Amino acid sequence: MRSDFFKWMLSGESRGILGINRRNLDYVYPGSSRKFFRLADRKLETKKILEKAGLPFPETVMIFREFREIIDLRERLGDKENFVIKPDRGKMGSGIMVLGERSGSGFLDSEGNEVEPGKIRKRLGDIILGVYSNGLNDFAFLEKRIFPHSFFSDLYPRGLSDIRIITYRKEPVMAMMRIPTGESGGRANLHQGGVGVAVEISSGLTYAAGIKRVEIREHPDTGAGLIGKRVPFFSEMLRMCSLLPDEIRLDYLGFDFAVDRKRGPLILEINARPGLEIQNVGSAGLYRLLLDRNEGAE
Amino acid sequence: MRRWALISLLLIIVTAGIILFKIFYLDYDPFDVIPEKGYKLTLEITTENRRNRSVEITTFVPQDSTKQQVYREESISDAFRFRIMKVNGNKQAQWRGENVSGVNKIKYISRIKSVKVKYLFTNDTVVPGEYPESLKAYLKRSDFIQVDSKAIKRKMEELTTDKYTLYEKIRAIHDFIVKDIRYVNFSGGLDADSTLQLLEASCNGKSRLYVAMVRQLGIPARVVGGIILNRSPKKTTHQWVEIYLNGHWVPFCPTNNYFAELPRRYITLYTGDEVLFRYSSKIGFNYRFSFEKVNIPKPGLSLKYRDLPVNIFAVLENFEKFNISLNILIYLLMLPLGALVSVILRNIIGFQTFGIFLPILVASVLKGTGIFLGLMTFSGIIFLVFFINFAITKLELLYHPKMSILLSGVILSILVLFLTGIAFKNYELINVVFFPVAIIAITVNRVMTIIEEEGSMKLLTVTLNTLVVIIICFYFMNSTFLQLAMLSFPELILLLAGFNILIGRWSGIRFTEFIRFYPVFKKGIRDEE
């Protein structure tokens, strides 16, 4: 390992791996004005853009902008069920609370556990107070719950799997699927224990899978095979990535998709600073792919 | 060339330019920055006068010599007129007041740099046979130094007959007076003859006998008076001896057994067998000496370097005038360096810490608390926050009230430790109370952010990362060499800015990323081969 370290130090281009310094310096920040980060960071703003561009996204049911809007929560909720609470500015899925079917005065979450109204109020309050947005005031909103396409529920029946596609100047660079496990508490997040599955851009086929960098070939809970599967609507998702309007000047983005069994692929959110772990999932360096792309373009 | 590289280069060149200009054109000596250790000696005199007549007080005050240098003196005496006189080579201060009644105070403050002196007095040292007029005074008898005393002469000869060199003779006299004249602490004086008779005396009698014997050898010698700065405040003054050898007045102390040398803490107030205080009769008179150790910037530097663009010496002297510790200046100057170190550790090595500035703040506190205790306190706070948060989670409180409780909980714990320290007289526990509240508050905030956003495992790794960064920053910020560099060349801050620009444009992989993505890295190599 030590000789490799020196090779890395001397090589300069780090074997095609994209580190956070280069990601920020060369890809995320140059050519992007701050106001566009705001559009990507706030999910409600993002939805406005998607709507204008004719791109599909989960339907917003209700928005809580101020504390006092939580007071008459019961009346506002009526007898609605199956929605998700999200912080407008939350990152990496933090602050999300799934409320499925009604259960007494409360709801059942995606794992089948009871969620009482007090917890719901507290979550809404915490979001507005900024617990999930670094202390800055935030909005909470409810959006319609997504019931995943059978492809995903066959791999794991609970929680919501998503597809992350990294794009540079509207061209897809790398893609992966994230699947929750029992261990991860229904969350698809990689560092919470979700399964990362590498998806080949050209074919939409999965070619590698792992949990926290340990290679696996089947889902630990269901035993479903993870390699060689074709992701449904993948080319559709790729197409959607290129449809973001030109005025939104963000060169380097991560699109998060979920496939609803009725509506098909929906854009959950757009990430202006997508994480780097996808490189470990796909065993490929983003920097090399980005450089190849540039050469191809010229 | 790109703009950032240009700016960076410019900063480096400007800094180098200023430094070189200072060193070569202005003959700048970086070591001039180091303040010298000195004393601030204060004499407080209290007088009480009921008879409405004039009051006059005279005393000897410190002046420059080979051993000491007086920087600043001031006299604070509202009711009296003050003047300085030179008498017999001594410096005398005099306070005079007409119609001064009641209780009055006088303060005399001198800032003195004192050094240890040691003279090479050996068997080879020889002295001339004749002395000029000015020195002959130190061979004569006086009422208290009976050079003509037969008893003293007999004793002196008994001590020195079998000694051949001057060194051996004086050594014999010295040892006799040190060992065989018993020291008694009494404030009155005793003449040389009586001292020999009684074989006991205070420093005064010992010194007088010593001088008498040396004068009998035909060598000029004198009693010297002053004060030993060992305890503050104090009233006891001291006397010792100086012998004229080879053009120097060499010190000897027969009370504390110093032979041809004297430590820093001896301050000379007068030479000759004088009385320290003289004051009008029939007034109440009391006095007290107190002192503190201070850092004195080398004198005359703001003048020497008045051409400097950034005259740090003027700054240093002003710090001293306003009684602000130099440490504050050092603290401020080292912060940018600490910040750079922190940035390097983060952007190049890849340490993930609680914010970028918290490690520097904690590092600067460690000097006062001690490394181990400071880090223990810091870790303790983190652990406390985690623990209290865990305990009150069930209460499902809103965010800000919960933060308030956490902060209160930590402070309460610190108070408990403090009181425990007092109860068991454990000074380490007592010192936890000095951990700055600002740092505690910031730490509580950041710890909670990590717990909320990323979970407890992440908290552990970030804590360990932060501790390592704190320790590394601490060593850089407390390096005497670097402190000297920053004090001598504060323009180095520009250089630090230049480095920050370079790091700000560095797009390489962080070391921790190298480890994180190693499998992909290895695969990249395999693909190429």
Side-chain angles (χ1 to χ4, degrees), chain A residues 4 8 20-21 122 277, chain B residues 347 397 509 513 516 518 522:
Chain A
D4 292 338
W8 154 61
I20 203 164
N21 290 337
K122 176 165 192 310
E277 191 66 13
Chain B
N347 272 32
L397 300 172
I509 295 237
E513 286 176 338
R516 177 185 176 194
Y518 187 65
K522 258 230 115 72

Side-chain angles (χ1 to χ4, degrees), chain B residues 279-296:
Chain B
Y279 46 89
S280 312
S281 54
K282 299 201 181 75
I283 65 168
F285 176 87
N286 205 348
Y287 75 93
R288 188 174 83 147
F289 283 98
S290 56
F291 76 95
E292 58 186 86
K293 291 188 184 159
V294 291
N295 281 324
I296 304 181

Side-chain angles (χ1 to χ4, degrees), chain A:
Chain A
M1 194 181 183
R2 203 169 1 139
S3 62
D4 292 338
F5 176 67
F6 287 117
K7 272 192 219 157
W8 154 61
M9 292 269 334
L10 297 170
S11 75
E13 64 108 78
S14 49
R15 296 267 174 268
I17 293 171
L18 189 69
I20 203 164
N21 290 337
R22 191 182 295 282
R23 184 200 75 175
N24 290 348
L25 208 54
D26 292 348
Y27 295 102
V28 170
Y29 290 113
S32 308
S33 169
R34 291 287 160 173
K35 68 177 180 201
F36 298 118
F37 286 107
R38 188 202 149 95
L39 295 177
D41 288 345
R42 292 167 206 230
K43 301 189 187 68
L44 292 171
E45 294 285 330
T46 307
K47 290 192 193 200
K48 287 189 198 156
I49 301 169
L50 295 175
E51 187 164 29
K52 263 213 307 203
L55 293 168
F57 52 88
E59 186 188 319
T60 309
V61 173
M62 205 179 294
I63 304 177
F64 295 84
R65 290 194 176 83
E66 286 172 48
F67 222 77
R68 59 183 168 84
E69 295 180 31
I70 311 175
I71 296 176
D72 48 356
L73 180 67
R74 174 167 292 187
E75 287 77 29
R76 294 188 72 182
L77 286 183
D79 45 4
K80 295 194 188 47
E81 55 182 13
N82 281 320
F83 42 77
V84 181
I85 300 178
K86 287 192 181 177
D88 188 28
R89 299 162 74 159
K91 296 197 177 114
M92 298 197 292
S94 65
I96 295 182
M97 185 182 255
V98 176
L99 299 173
E101 269 119 33
R102 289 266 173 180
S103 162
S105 58
F107 296 81
L108 292 177
D109 70 9
S110 60
E111 298 290 296
N113 303 320
E114 287 242 2
V115 183
E116 3 146 277
K119 271 208 164 85
I120 301 175
R121 281 179 195 280
K122 176 165 192 310
R123 177 54 60 96
L124 290 170
D126 280 350
I127 292 174
I128 294 178
L129 286 174
V131 172
Y132 302 97
S133 54
N134 277 329
L136 303 164
N137 280 358
D138 198 6
F139 301 153
F141 63 90
L142 307 183
E143 67 180 22
K144 261 211 169 130
R145 187 181 176 194
I146 296 176
F147 290 94
H149 185 281
S150 58
F151 173 85
F152 300 96
S153 47
D154 285 347
L155 295 174
Y156 185 73
R158 299 192 298 277
L160 187 67
S161 304
D162 64 20
I163 304 282
R164 156 74 61 92
I165 303 180
I166 306 261
T167 66
Y168 182 60
R169 294 187 176 155
K170 300 197 191 170
E171 294 275 330
V173 182
M174 228 174 148
M176 69 171 169
M177 172 170 54
R178 295 183 295 194
I179 313 174
T181 64
E183 279 279 323
S184 72
R187 289 150 138 301
N189 250 307
L190 292 182
H191 61 246
Q192 252 139 4
V195 183
V197 184
V199 180
E200 203 182 17
I201 297 270
S202 51
S203 60
L205 287 171
T206 61
Y207 64 89
I211 298 183
K212 290 201 171 145
R213 297 178 218 158
V214 175
E215 271 193 52
I216 57 174
R217 296 190 70 83
E218 292 138 10
H219 192 284
D221 298 323
T222 61
L226 297 169
I227 314 293
K229 294 274 168 81
R230 192 179 295 273
V231 175
F233 300 105
F234 191 67
S235 45
E236 184 58 19
M237 292 185 224
L238 292 178
R239 192 186 64 87
M240 287 187 204
C241 292
S242 66
L243 290 178
L244 206 64
D246 284 336
E247 315 92 70
I248 312 299
R249 298 202 45 216
L250 292 167
D251 287 343
Y252 185 80
L253 289 172
F255 283 81
D256 287 352
F257 291 90
V259 184
D260 185 77
R261 66 185 175 204
K262 288 205 189 115
R263 298 183 56 195
L266 305 172
I267 299 180
L268 292 175
E269 67 175 293
I270 297 179
N271 217 310
R273 300 169 204 83
L276 300 166
E277 191 66 13
I278 194 173
Q279 296 174 107
N280 268 333
V281 175
S283 281
L286 275 168
Y287 188 46
R288 164 149 307 144
L289 294 168
L290 288 162
L291 289 176
D292 291 345
R293 171 161 322 287
N294 267 349
E295 283 163 28
E298 282 139 35

Side-chain angles (χ1 to χ4, degrees), chain B residues 395-453:
Chain B
L395 295 175
E396 294 196 347
L397 300 172
L398 287 177
Y399 183 68
H400 293 101
K402 181 159 81 164
M403 291 296 287
S404 189
I405 291 182
L406 287 167
L407 181 63
S408 309
V410 171
I411 293 190
L412 196 66
S413 309
I414 288 184
L415 285 173
V416 167
L417 284 176
F418 173 67
L419 292 172
T420 310
I422 298 227
F424 290 98
K425 293 204 172 29
N426 182 328
Y427 288 104
E428 276 146 3
L429 284 181
I430 291 179
N431 276 325
V432 294
V433 87
F434 288 113
F435 208 82
V437 177
I439 297 185
I440 297 175
I442 298 175
T443 308
V444 169
N445 189 17
R446 296 217 168 263
V447 169
M448 275 315 294
T449 305
I450 301 264
I451 294 180
E452 297 276 358
E453 289 192 2

